[in-house]
Amino acid sequence: MSKQSEPETGTTVVEAMPDCPRCQKPLPLCICDSVTAIDNRISLLILQHPQEQDRALGTARLTALHFKNAVVRIGLSWPSLSKALGRQVADPSRWAVLYLGSAKVADLETSSDIVAINRKGEIEDNQRAILKDIEGIVLLDGTWSQAKALWWRNAWMLKCQRVILGPKQPSRYGKLRKEPRRDGLATIEAAGLLLAGLEKRPEIAETLNASFDRMLARYRDVQTEMPELAPKPKKRDYRRRKRA
């Protein structure tokens, strides 16, 4: 076999590999058999940018599988929160949207993991009361630029409460997918931190983080056995934001 034909063979193998119908990952990367859905009180809506459908390292669908009350939508814009969710929402202000943008918890006078901020990026007064009333969370699944596109294309998000995170540890992705900021997390990590904190159930974060660890371990194993399915990351950080 010539060297020229090797890339084509690898591509053929990837395209021919069947996907799991639940998480939509190639079957060798699937860990669905270890997932049991959590009965969550706070609803979860994951909006995924169309170009972010990373079959190997993405966590949006895996995250949704962990909750009985979770929805994943793929697209760029929706006319309202109700349309995106697929059911009527009486009060969008009781939903929170996780969007970091240029805001950082480290710049605010707080040590909290979850912080509600206003349109100016300033910390809201009466944090406890605001977070206690949250009945749903919107997560934006994509790179930094893709999350920004989702934020600006959906004006209804301004009716929701914006929140940011100040995780104590960096993302478990490590070198597999480097984040441009220390507070950047995988969707599954962000969901775990938010739902655990808002529902006062630390076991939610523990469950999701353990599942994420299994996913990454499986990915690293497959890197050795089937590198075409789980390629090593490029030296260049393709997820890094361009400076405005």
Side-chain angles (χ1 to χ4, degrees):
M1 182 179 293
S2 67
K3 291 184 178 180
Q4 289 182 341
S5 64
E6 289 178 0
E8 294 181 2
T9 302
T11 300
T12 301
V13 170
V14 174
E15 293 177 347
M17 181 64 63
D19 292 343
C20 168
R22 298 181 69 207
C23 69
Q24 297 188 3
K25 289 183 179 298
L27 285 179
L29 297 174
C30 172
I31 62 165
C32 286
D33 58 351
S34 66
V35 175
T36 301
I38 299 168
D39 190 5
N40 52 313
R41 173 178 58 84
I42 296 176
S43 303
L44 178 64
L45 172 62
I46 301 174
L47 301 182
Q48 186 181 71
H49 192 284
Q51 296 177 357
E52 173 53 19
Q53 298 178 60
D54 186 336
R55 298 169 67 219
L57 281 172
T59 64
R61 293 193 178 277
L62 180 61
T63 301
L65 288 175
H66 278 84
F67 299 102
K68 294 182 179 179
N69 186 6
V71 175
V72 178
R73 297 282 188 246
I74 300 172
L76 289 173
S77 62
W78 296 263
S80 66
L81 173 58
S82 295
K83 291 292 185 180
L85 187 61
R87 62 176 172 83
Q88 189 62 36
V89 176
D91 187 0
S93 68
R94 297 190 63 184
W95 277 68
V97 179
L98 173 61
Y99 177 64
L100 299 183
S102 60
K104 296 181 180 180
V105 170
D107 295 336
L108 305 174
E109 295 182 0
T110 180
S111 59
S112 299
D113 293 333
I114 306 170
V115 180
I117 60 175
N118 60 26
R119 294 188 182 186
K120 295 181 180 180
E122 303 166 337
I123 189 169
E124 294 269 25
D125 294 330
N126 204 356
Q127 290 282 308
R128 182 174 297 182
I130 291 174
L131 297 179
K132 183 180 179 181
D133 286 342
I134 296 300
E135 63 180 31
I137 293 290
V138 180
L139 297 182
L140 309 181
D141 186 67
T143 63
W144 287 84
S145 60
Q146 289 167 355
K148 183 178 180 180
L150 288 169
W151 172 259
W152 287 106
R153 282 175 174 264
N154 294 276
W156 53 264
M157 291 185 187
L158 295 177
K159 298 179 181 179
C160 304
Q161 175 63 57
R162 181 180 169 190
V163 297
I164 58 176
L165 299 179
K168 299 297 188 289
Q169 302 294 330
S171 174
R172 283 171 159 75
Y173 268 134
K175 295 181 179 180
L176 287 178
R177 179 183 277 188
K178 188 176 180 181
E179 298 290 348
R181 273 173 40 178
R182 189 181 184 279
D183 53 354
L185 298 177
T187 297
I188 194 169
E189 294 172 302
L193 184 56
L194 279 165
L195 272 292
L198 296 177
E199 294 199 10
K200 307 300 182 185
R201 296 166 63 190
E203 68 273 11
I204 293 179
E206 293 168 3
T207 297
L208 267 66
N209 287 338
S211 184
F212 191 32
D213 285 338
R214 289 194 299 274
M215 189 200 93
L216 295 177
R218 179 70 59 84
Y219 185 89
R220 292 186 175 96
D221 289 342
V222 173
Q223 272 187 336
T224 301
E225 302 169 2
M226 305 178 69
E228 63 274 9
L229 281 182
K232 292 185 177 181
K234 298 179 180 179
K235 291 184 178 180
R236 184 181 175 212
D237 179 15
Y238 67 90
R239 293 173 62 85
R240 187 171 296 279
R241 292 184 303 168
K242 294 181 179 180
R243 294 179 66 104

